[in-house]
Amino acid sequence: MTDRELDAARITDPALRADYAHCRRLNARHGRTYFLATRLLPAARRPAVHALYGFARHADDIVDVPGPAAGPGRRAGALTALRRRLAEGLAGAPAGEPAVRALVDTAARYGIPHGLFDDFMAAMHTDLTVTDYADYAALRRYMHGSAAVIGLQMLPVLGTVAPPREAAPYAADLGVAFQLTNFLRDVGEDLDRGRIYLPADLLAAHGVDRPLLEWSRRTGRRDPRITAALVAAAGLTRTAYARAEPGIALLEPVSRPCVRTAFVLYGGILDAVADEGYAVLHRRAAVGLPRRLAVAARGYAAALHARRRTPVAPPTAPGRPA
């Protein structure tokens, strides 16, 4: 279906089509829930979402690449080089890699502010040196660049029925809610990388610290203090979802089924974590396939209804008048 999406988006240059296809493969391979929800958007808007995801994934892979040859110095150098190539591409210079080229094209088509990409890259650099966060305020400052700006990047692609400035706080909150969900689901994997994305004061309030988490991860044994802390983290995450939800109604009707589906499926990860007894230090919770398909089916029906009622115009190509 890649060609249909690219045709609908009026992306005609063969090299650029290949760049977008590369990003789509990254989305399909690494972001199952995100990719499933993206399929509910009008075809013309999907390539832009793939480009945004593909670039973010490319940067994230640099941060998390394993192996002794990928020490902090090498990763910092690779991130700095990527940041430079992105800045050059956004300024009009030729970009040298698929994810950057697709992102630059998407930013031009949708008028995405370049500062959002600067903030994202700054957060990626933070991951190379910061391994924990004292409190939720400190974590929120990090998540501005790592998550909130992703929601803000998406907003021009999704479109709004209200002034974008009114929808922006909700888009940022939804990005934060999704990332908090990932943090809770991936506690064990992040700990293996030396990082803890749960606020230290929240953990300490339940008698939990890094050595206790490492002990549980290493031995496979449970501790009620850890469970209590994870329950509190889940509550914090559900509050973020509650703040974000009103923003869905501010999106264009054709975009709401996509975002609603992602909202429900990501929220379902919290349910899966709870159903498995908050054993996230020992296994990765996931929403079951029947549940994912049922939610997607409802979203698909809503998407078809919205498209019948609302014509969808493709984005304006860079350099062409609207």
Side-chain angles (χ1 to χ4, degrees):
M1 196 174 288
T2 303
D3 287 341
R4 186 171 78 84
E5 293 173 354
L6 296 171
D7 291 343
R10 296 181 182 173
I11 299 168
T12 57
D13 177 77
L16 191 57
R17 288 170 71 92
D19 297 333
Y20 274 100
H22 168 79
C23 292
R24 187 182 190 277
R25 288 192 295 272
L26 287 176
N27 195 351
R29 185 182 311 128
H30 298 289
R32 292 187 306 165
T33 298
Y34 201 62
F35 183 75
L36 180 61
T38 301
R39 297 291 298 274
L40 302 181
L41 282 175
R45 301 189 187 187
R46 294 175 208 160
V49 179
H50 298 322
L52 294 172
Y53 180 93
F55 179 82
R57 184 72 208 190
H58 180 50
D60 197 54
D61 283 347
I62 291 174
V63 172
D64 290 338
V65 64
R74 286 179 178 269
R75 286 179 285 164
L79 274 181
T80 298
L82 178 62
R83 193 174 191 175
R84 183 184 65 251
R85 292 192 296 272
L86 175 61
E88 292 170 350
L90 292 171
E97 54 203 292
V100 174
R101 289 192 296 263
L103 181 70
V104 167
D105 184 72
T106 288
R109 287 173 185 266
Y110 287 94
I112 301 173
H114 295 178
L116 297 177
F117 304 118
D118 291 336
D119 290 348
F120 172 75
M121 291 304 299
M124 293 299 97
H125 276 278
T126 296
D127 275 332
L128 299 182
T129 56
V130 178
T131 58
D132 49 38
Y133 294 87
D135 50 34
Y136 187 57
L139 186 62
R140 277 296 301 243
R141 288 192 291 273
Y142 164 75
M143 288 191 296
H144 165 75
S146 65
V149 299
I150 303 298
L152 296 174
Q153 291 168 18
M154 284 282 296
L155 202 56
V157 179
L158 299 172
T160 63
V161 295
R165 67 179 180 276
E166 293 183 17
Y170 298 105
D173 281 338
L174 189 56
V176 167
F178 287 168
Q179 183 154 74
L180 286 171
T181 302
N182 288 341
F183 288 163
L184 183 62
R185 180 195 63 193
D186 299 339
V187 169
E189 295 174 19
D190 289 330
L191 192 63
D192 291 343
R193 300 183 182 107
R195 304 188 203 118
I196 299 175
Y197 289 109
L198 303 180
D201 62 346
L202 181 150
L203 295 174
H206 298 277
V208 178
D209 56 13
R210 179 183 289 267
L212 182 61
L213 292 174
E214 291 174 338
W215 167 83
S216 180
R217 177 69 168 171
R218 183 177 64 252
T219 64
R221 296 175 64 182
R222 307 285 296 278
D223 187 288
R225 293 170 293 177
I226 295 175
T227 301
L230 295 174
V231 170
L236 192 68
T237 306
R238 292 190 187 279
T239 298
Y241 279 102
R243 284 198 305 266
E245 186 172 15
I248 299 176
L250 301 181
L251 300 176
E252 288 186 2
V254 294
S255 295
R256 292 173 197 165
C258 162
V259 178
R260 173 64 66 182
T261 297
F263 182 94
V264 172
L265 289 177
Y266 260 91
I269 294 174
L270 296 179
D271 296 332
V273 168
D275 290 344
E276 295 186 8
Y278 294 89
V280 290
L281 278 163
H282 312 122
R283 57 182 176 270
R284 200 174 201 256
V287 178
L289 182 60
R291 169 70 170 159
R292 293 173 66 231
L293 292 178
V295 173
R298 289 197 297 270
Y300 182 66
L304 288 180
H305 178 72
R307 289 176 210 171
R308 283 195 294 265
R309 294 171 59 90
T310 309
V312 180
T316 302
R320 299 179 184 173

